[in-house]
Amino acid sequence: MNLFGGDWNEWKLALMAPRSLSGRVVALALVLVVLVLAFRALRGEQPRRRWLLLTLRTVGILATLLLFFQPTIRLRAVSRMPNHIAVVVDASESMRLAEEGGGEHRAGRAAAHLRAESVALQKWRTDHKVEFYTFGDRLQSSTWDSVTHPDVASLRADSTRIREALSAVRQRYEGRDLAGVVLFSDGLDNGRLSAGTSELQPGQLGLDADTQEFLRALDAPVHTVAVGKPGLRDIALTRVLADQFAFARTAVEVEARLQVFGAKSAGWGGRHLPVTLRRDGVPVLTVDIEIQPEQREYRVIFPFTPDRVGKFLYDISVPVQPGEAISENNRRAFVLKVVREKIRVVHVAGRPSWDSRFLRAALKSDPNIDLVAFFILRSPSDIEFAPSEETSLIPFPCQELFQDQLRSFDLLILQNFNYSAYCSQFLQPAIVPFVEGGGSVAMIGGDLSFSSGGYYGSELAQILPVVLSPDELSGGTGARLIDSEPFVPKLTPAGRNHVVTALHLDVKDNAQRWGEVPPLDGLNLVQKARQQATVLLSHPKLKDQDGNPMPVLSVAELGKGRTLALQADSTWKWAFTPAAARQASANRTEGDGRSTTYQRFFDQAIRWLIRDPSLRLLRVEVAETELRRGQPVRVEVRALGPDYQPVGRVEVSLSLQRIAGTESGATSEPLAESALSKTIRTDDDGVASIEWPQLPEGGYRVVARAVIAGRPTDDSEVFLVRGIGRELEAPEADDRLLRLVSEVTGGESKKPGESLAGLSFHPPHIEHVRDHRDLPLWDNPLVLAIAVMCFGLNWALRRRWGYA
């Protein structure tokens, strides 16, 4: 009801006199004293007279007070705008969970609660604007239909950041009127809010001062609805503790943290659970644990020894159990870079010679090489003039070297070594897996090597870059298997650009130096080079069975390993002669410690065999080794010339390969053929980059290939696109944090099914005043007349009745 008419819809009483608060208090105190004294002075008087005099004095004083305080009624015509209620619904990945496999998921529980409270929400709209949001790692606007009928498959946010979401809500309503927030979540915060909590005692959380201050600064009640339920059944790999790099052939340990939720209710107690560590999808080690009904956390240790250098994708997984809430957290992957502490080389020489002596000395002089060398000083067919126990010789350790320890080496050098007299039963079955697994083998010539050493038809012959001749050709004399004429090897077109034969960075100077090397004394003959091999040096006159120059130095790749065949046993001469001295002087001028042709050649050969990263002319890098789902993958390629300076305008082909067995339990989208291969060109600085957007989860290897200065070169890099974030590491719902938020902000904490009708919000505030008017209550002559009349009549009656 409008008492003042018109559009006035608000009024209040104001004291307009410029009096201080203390002056007002003193005035009221004096009035009270006067009335009390008057009452006491009239106690003996007749009641009728007493009340008449007191009434006249009181009315006169009140009229005087009106003049003193100048009270005024202030009328205003105001427009009140509805303020805002923000309904914020958790859309993170954990909201897809159902505490019991196949049951109602948390997002559905929140949607059902909102639909059931539609009447309450309609009532809120009377004085408020109700707006809807979803959040995970960031806040997003939403609609009533979206929050009440969510697409569960789209709930993929990999984090829940409640504090950040509330801060974003506050910023959206900066300068506007926020009535309150209604927050639906399972409480699995992994942002700044949980970082500001501490466990005061078991089961009880507390908020730090900064977090409490932030919540109070929201200046709005936050009502929370905890949509999670107890009874989650799930097995989750919550954490993997692993270093970023490890040394090859050095034992390391990886620790996995496992949590089992609801083991008792699911009937998993006493069940044996295999936990498996894999490398690039291939099992490395399995550890078996027994699930205890009352135990939740388990630590699983994987001790293993990386045997190869490179970057590898490892993953740890447990099998999915019946009734699990989610399967994606049963696998966790990580990238481990395995580096070489030293190059481990085993050098086996069939007999002492100048060639084996020089090679052993060159290997020992390199501080980066860990050398194990064996020289055969007496063969089983030699005549013994003294018992073995009276000599210092030891038996050749065939089983230990070729069966037990071979995989611990990077390179096996067989120099003029006839294996059949010693180790055929151990070397034959071990050599092919060694090379295919990443090891390297070099065979150096002599009268006990290649076909002369009985290698024809052996397993080792299958991995050599050359096809051996049958030893029957020699008639037992070896005449057709060795050519003893001296010769200077000829650099082939492939050898001009290959790193093994790169005695100098400049191609022309390199060819000149090879033309000046001392001649070799002879050559082990072979049928021909294999089709997949690369011949680097050839004989100037002799031909193979196909009419091509007879190979002298050949290399090949087999699986992940490499092999080299040098069909001569007199390369030690390259360390002498005037040409070698001139090369040594030039190398020293360039600051190259490998001062002779001999040392330079074998240094380059060994580095190529073990795939030394520093020799790569093409280098590919991924900006981040581990990426979140949906995060684009940026790949950068650098091209270097033979002088290791940047090379521009190089065409690089990139191929993206998915590492098998690294996907999570979720369905993974196949990669389109167009996404697998790309071609890019480097700029003037030798750099090119490309992005693959939003790859499906799993492990990937990107391979780059190019031809630089006539040399085919390649490189690869491994990266991981994570399938899950921290959301599903520990998926059990926790409403303790939600209760604290409500408590600090003055809101209420609810559970699914509890009514929202009684929630309180800030009332709408004034948007603007359209008009105002002041009605003074004192600005009237009648007030002064009443005061004068009351005091005058009081004085006249007191005089008449004998008081004055």
Side-chain angles (χ1 to χ4, degrees), residues 80-91:
R80 291 185 177 275
M81 301 296 293
N83 56 1
H84 302 267
I85 295 177
V87 178
V88 183
V89 182
D90 191 344

Side-chain angles (χ1 to χ4, degrees), residues 41 383 720 749:
I383 300 175
L720 169 68
S749 181

Side-chain angles (χ1 to χ4, degrees), residues 17-295:
R19 316 293 185 197
S20 64
L21 179 61
S22 58
R24 294 171 182 175
V25 172
V26 170
L28 291 176
L30 289 175
V31 168
L32 183 60
V33 170
V34 169
L35 290 177
V36 171
L37 293 176
F39 181 80
R40 294 185 62 182
L42 298 172
R43 280 184 302 178
E45 195 57 57
Q46 296 178 12
R48 186 176 178 181
R49 292 182 177 182
R50 183 172 68 244
W51 289 112
L52 179 58
L53 293 175
L54 287 175
T55 300
L56 290 173
R57 183 169 294 188
T58 301
V59 172
I61 290 174
L62 290 177
T64 304
L65 287 177
L66 284 176
L67 297 172
F68 182 80
F69 288 116
Q70 300 178 7
T72 302
I73 295 177
R74 311 201 75 172
L75 301 178
R76 291 192 297 177
V78 299
S79 296
R80 291 185 177 275
M81 301 296 293
N83 56 1
H84 302 267
I85 295 177
V87 178
V88 183
V89 182
D90 191 344
S92 62
E93 197 162 22
S94 63
M95 294 292 285
R96 296 191 292 119
L97 294 181
E99 278 71 19
E100 297 181 5
E104 184 183 30
H105 46 72
R106 296 169 183 174
R109 203 172 294 137
H113 195 178
L114 279 169
R115 292 195 300 268
E117 295 295 322
S118 59
V119 175
L121 267 69
Q122 192 62 38
K123 185 177 179 181
W124 295 349
R125 290 188 175 96
T126 304
D127 297 318
H128 313 281
K129 286 185 177 180
V130 180
E131 295 164 325
F132 298 94
Y133 300 91
T134 58
F135 79 100
D137 51 1
R138 63 184 182 275
L139 187 75
Q140 293 181 314
S141 296
S142 188
T143 63
W144 166 259
D145 290 337
S146 296
V147 297
T148 54
H149 299 87
D151 178 12
V152 179
S154 67
L155 302 178
R156 306 292 286 180
D158 59 4
S159 60
T160 301
R161 302 181 181 274
I162 294 177
R163 175 168 175 170
E164 289 79 354
L166 292 176
S167 178
V169 168
R170 180 71 271 179
Q171 290 176 7
R172 286 189 179 227
Y173 294 104
E174 193 70 34
R176 294 190 288 167
D177 194 1
L178 180 61
V181 179
V182 182
L183 175 68
F184 289 80
S185 177
D186 55 11
L188 294 183
D189 181 83
N190 37 50
R192 294 179 61 194
L193 187 64
S194 60
T197 63
S198 58
E199 193 159 7
L200 303 179
Q201 56 186 21
Q204 182 179 354
L205 294 179
L207 298 175
D208 61 20
D210 176 69
T211 304
Q212 293 187 46
E213 182 179 353
F214 163 77
L215 292 173
R216 293 191 186 98
L218 294 174
D219 194 26
V222 179
H223 306 289
T224 59
V225 182
V227 297
K229 291 174 61 177
L232 178 73
R233 299 177 182 178
D234 191 59
I235 298 175
L237 278 164
T238 59
R239 195 176 182 189
V240 172
L241 302 177
D243 294 328
Q244 293 183 347
F245 71 92
F247 290 110
R249 297 173 298 277
T250 301
V252 297
E253 284 189 352
V254 173
E255 179 180 336
R257 300 282 178 87
L258 191 71
Q259 286 198 2
V260 180
F261 303 94
K264 188 174 183 180
S265 61
W268 297 338
R271 184 173 298 183
H272 288 266
L273 192 68
V275 187
T276 303
L277 173 69
R278 293 178 174 85
R279 182 184 68 186
D280 291 350
V282 179
V284 175
L285 182 63
T286 297
V287 177
D288 190 79
I289 64 171
E290 182 178 354
I291 299 178
Q292 303 297 328
E294 303 299 332
Q295 184 177 349

Side-chain angles (χ1 to χ4, degrees), residues 602-640:
F602 274 103
D603 178 76
Q604 294 290 96
I606 291 172
R607 292 168 67 192
W608 179 85
L609 283 166
I610 66 168
R611 298 180 184 269
D612 190 335
S614 64
L615 295 181
R616 295 172 184 161
L617 301 182
L618 186 67
R619 301 176 185 180
V620 58
E621 297 178 355
V622 178
E624 295 183 52
T625 302
E626 297 187 11
L627 302 102
R628 302 185 307 274
R629 180 182 52 237
Q631 183 179 355
V633 181
R634 180 176 178 82
V635 177
E636 186 173 271
V637 176
R638 295 181 181 272
L640 305 174

Side-chain angles (χ1 to χ4, degrees), residues 514-800:
W514 276 109
E516 296 176 348
V517 297
L520 300 174
D521 290 340
L523 181 71
N524 288 86
L525 302 180
V526 297
Q527 292 190 44
K528 59 180 180 180
R530 295 191 182 275
Q531 185 176 359
Q532 68 272 25
T534 302
V535 179
L536 306 180
L537 297 175
S538 62
H539 198 283
K541 297 179 181 179
L542 296 178
K543 304 294 182 180
D544 63 15
Q545 68 176 20
D546 292 338
N548 298 316
M550 179 68 69
V552 176
L553 173 66
S554 309
V555 294
E557 299 197 23
L558 179 66
K560 298 178 179 179
R562 291 175 170 177
T563 59
L564 177 147
L566 176 58
Q567 297 153 225
D569 64 348
S570 52
T571 55
W572 62 274
K573 294 184 177 182
W574 294 349
F576 298 101
T577 74
R582 189 167 59 252
Q583 292 171 18
S585 176
N587 285 341
R588 281 194 296 269
T589 302
E590 296 167 4
D592 193 339
R594 300 177 292 273
S595 58
T596 68
T597 298
Y598 183 86
Q599 289 172 308
R600 173 79 176 184
F601 166 72
F602 274 103
D603 178 76
Q604 294 290 96
I606 291 172
R607 292 168 67 192
W608 179 85
L609 283 166
I610 66 168
R611 298 180 184 269
D612 190 335
S614 64
L615 295 181
R616 295 172 184 161
L617 301 182
L618 186 67
R619 301 176 185 180
V620 58
E621 297 178 355
V622 178
E624 295 183 52
T625 302
E626 297 187 11
L627 302 102
R628 302 185 307 274
R629 180 182 52 237
Q631 183 179 355
V633 181
R634 180 176 178 82
V635 177
E636 186 173 271
V637 176
R638 295 181 181 272
L640 305 174
D643 57 355
Y644 295 97
Q645 296 299 311
V647 177
R649 308 306 172 189
V650 174
E651 190 172 277
V652 182
S653 63
L654 295 173
S655 63
L656 190 63
Q657 304 167 1
R658 195 164 194 172
I659 299 174
T662 60
E663 304 86 353
S664 70
T667 302
S668 299
E669 306 88 345
L671 289 173
E673 188 66 29
S674 59
L676 295 176
S677 301
K678 302 283 186 181
T679 300
I680 56 178
R681 187 181 295 273
T682 61
D683 59 18
D684 293 337
D685 295 325
V687 179
S689 62
I690 192 174
E691 277 193 0
W692 271 282
Q694 298 186 359
L695 292 174
E697 59 196 76
Y700 296 86
R701 179 175 283 106
V702 57
V703 181
R705 294 182 175 87
V707 177
I708 301 176
R711 301 180 185 179
T713 182
D714 62 82
D715 192 17
S716 65
E717 182 68 296
V718 171
F719 64 90
L720 169 68
V721 179
R722 288 204 173 278
I724 63 171
R726 291 181 294 172
E727 277 291 295
L728 302 182
E729 292 177 357
E732 189 174 40
D734 189 351
D735 65 347
R736 295 177 298 171
L737 198 57
L738 299 177
R739 292 200 307 268
L740 286 174
V741 170
S742 295
E743 180 183 335
V744 174
T745 60
E748 297 183 37
S749 181
K750 299 286 186 178
K751 293 184 180 298
E754 295 182 357
S755 175
L756 304 181
L759 298 182
S760 61
F761 300 97
H762 290 331
H765 291 172
I766 298 171
E767 180 68 20
H768 67 275
V769 178
R770 292 181 283 108
D771 196 5
H772 67 90
R773 179 186 296 176
D774 291 340
L775 298 178
L777 299 180
W778 61 276
D779 191 12
N780 194 318
L782 183 60
V783 177
L784 180 59
I786 291 174
V788 173
M789 183 183 66
C790 287
F791 285 125
L793 186 56
N794 180 274
W795 177 79
L797 291 176
R798 285 171 58 84
R799 182 179 179 84
R800 180 176 178 180

Side-chain angles (χ1 to χ4, degrees), residues 307-323:
D307 57 353
R308 289 194 286 119
V309 174
K311 190 175 285 187
F312 302 98
L313 189 71
Y314 286 82
D315 71 273
I316 300 173
S317 63
V318 295
V320 179
Q321 302 300 307

